[in-house]
Amino acid sequence: TTPIDIDLFSGGQILNYDYREALNAGSIADRKGEIARYTESGVVLHDGTSLQADLVVFCTGFAKEYSFLDANTAEKLGREKDGLYLYRSIIPPAVPTLAFVGAEVSTFNNILTQALQSRWLKNIWGGEVSLPSEANMRADVQKEQEWKRRWMPATGSRAATLQLHQMQYHDRLCKDMGVPHHRKGLNVLAEAFSPYTASDYSGLFQGTSARAGTGMVGQQLATPTRDS
C-alpha cells in the first residue's frame, strides 16, 4: 500500500476493467514480487517462489527525455528534479514558439484536458489571444511552482500534476480564451451539483461556437478554490 496523498497525486490510464473482472472471477491470479531469474519453464521470484510461464511481458513504463531538441532549446526549458514547469502547463516562457500538449500535465480526464490545451494553443498561435511577456509568464510559473512545492508530494512528476485541481485548470484555459467557464448554461442546480464531463465543453469544438474572444491571456494563477 501507499500513502493516500501519493495515490491522490498519481496518474494512470485504464482502458477497461477486464483484468479486475478476471481477478474477481478467479480466472487469473496475481502475485506481487520481482523476478530473480528465469528457468526453462518460467521464472523464480526474489522470495523463492517458482512460477510456470509460457510468456513473460515486460511492462517497463517510460521515462521522459528531451534529446529531440537541440541543446540550446533544451537548456532554455529549465527542467528541474520535480519536472518541467510551463506557462499554463503548455508553453516554456523562454521558448514561446514551442508547446507541449498533454506531455506535461496530468488530470483525471487527460483526453479532455489535452483537447482544451489544443484549443487554447490554437487561439494563441492563431493570434486571437496574446501571450503575456516572458517576465510575466516566468512570474506565473514561479507562483505555481511555489504553490505545488508547499504541499504536493515531492515526485519527479510534481510539475505536471493537477489531479485535484483539474476544474480550476480547465476554468483558467476557458477564461484565457474568453469563453464561459461555467458550462451548464442557465441550470444553476446542475452547475452546483452535477459533475462536469467532456460533453459540457463540446461547444468549444464545433464550428463558430468555438471562437474565443480577443485579448491578452490573464496573469492570475488558478487557485485551489473555484472562481465564480
Side-chain angles (χ1 to χ4, degrees):
T1 60
T2 55
I4 189 170
D5 58 336
I6 299 295
D7 285 338
L8 287 173
F9 291 98
S10 298
Q13 303 299 315
I14 300 174
L15 299 181
N16 59 55
Y17 293 95
D18 291 351
Y19 176 71
R20 182 190 66 184
E21 291 170 358
L23 281 175
N24 292 337
S27 57
I28 63 173
D30 65 331
R31 182 179 293 275
K32 190 173 183 179
E34 297 179 47
I35 295 175
R37 60 187 175 87
Y38 295 89
T39 67
E40 292 184 0
S41 59
V43 297
V44 176
L45 304 184
H46 277 298
D47 64 2
T49 302
S50 180
L51 299 176
Q52 301 294 309
D54 296 319
L55 177 70
V56 177
V57 179
F58 291 86
C59 302
T60 58
F62 65 92
K64 289 184 179 179
E65 55 91 19
Y66 304 86
S67 61
F68 62 92
L69 298 171
D70 63 85
N72 183 51
T73 300
E75 184 178 355
K76 287 181 178 180
L77 295 182
R79 187 167 183 259
E80 303 193 35
K81 289 183 177 180
D82 54 348
L84 179 56
Y85 286 91
L86 304 171
Y87 181 71
R88 297 294 192 259
S89 298
I90 302 172
I91 299 241
V95 195
T97 55
L98 177 65
F100 295 84
V101 172
E104 305 296 336
V105 66
S106 177
T107 68
F108 289 119
N109 191 337
N110 282 322
I111 294 175
L112 171 60
T113 298
Q114 291 159 21
L116 290 173
Q117 286 186 320
S118 299
R119 186 23 124 169
W120 181 92
L121 187 62
K122 176 185 180 296
N123 287 5
I124 295 293
W125 283 353
E128 296 176 64
V129 179
S130 301
L131 282 174
S133 66
E134 179 181 339
N136 285 334
M137 284 194 288
R138 287 186 181 278
D140 192 278
V141 169
Q142 183 178 358
K143 287 180 182 178
E144 180 180 0
Q145 185 181 73
E146 293 172 351
W147 170 64
K148 287 185 173 181
R149 287 178 173 174
R150 257 197 324 267
W151 67 286
M152 285 188 180
T155 66
S157 61
R158 179 164 53 187
T161 300
L162 282 170
Q163 312 288 56
L164 298 179
H165 300 89
Q166 167 185 298
M167 286 304 304
Q168 286 75 25
Y169 179 61
H170 291 174
D171 287 353
R172 176 50 56 197
L173 294 180
C174 287
K175 290 178 181 179
D176 286 349
M177 293 187 287
V179 300
H181 64 288
H182 289 157
R183 309 295 305 175
K184 301 289 187 181
L186 299 178
N187 192 334
V188 178
L189 291 177
E191 186 66 51
F193 299 108
S194 295
Y196 264 71
T197 66
S199 63
D200 292 308
Y201 297 88
S202 60
L204 296 179
F205 307 97
Q206 298 172 354
T208 56
S209 63
R211 184 174 179 81
T214 301
M216 173 72 77
V217 172
Q219 310 291 323
Q220 183 181 357
L221 178 70
T223 56
T225 54
R226 188 171 184 184
D227 298 337
S228 60

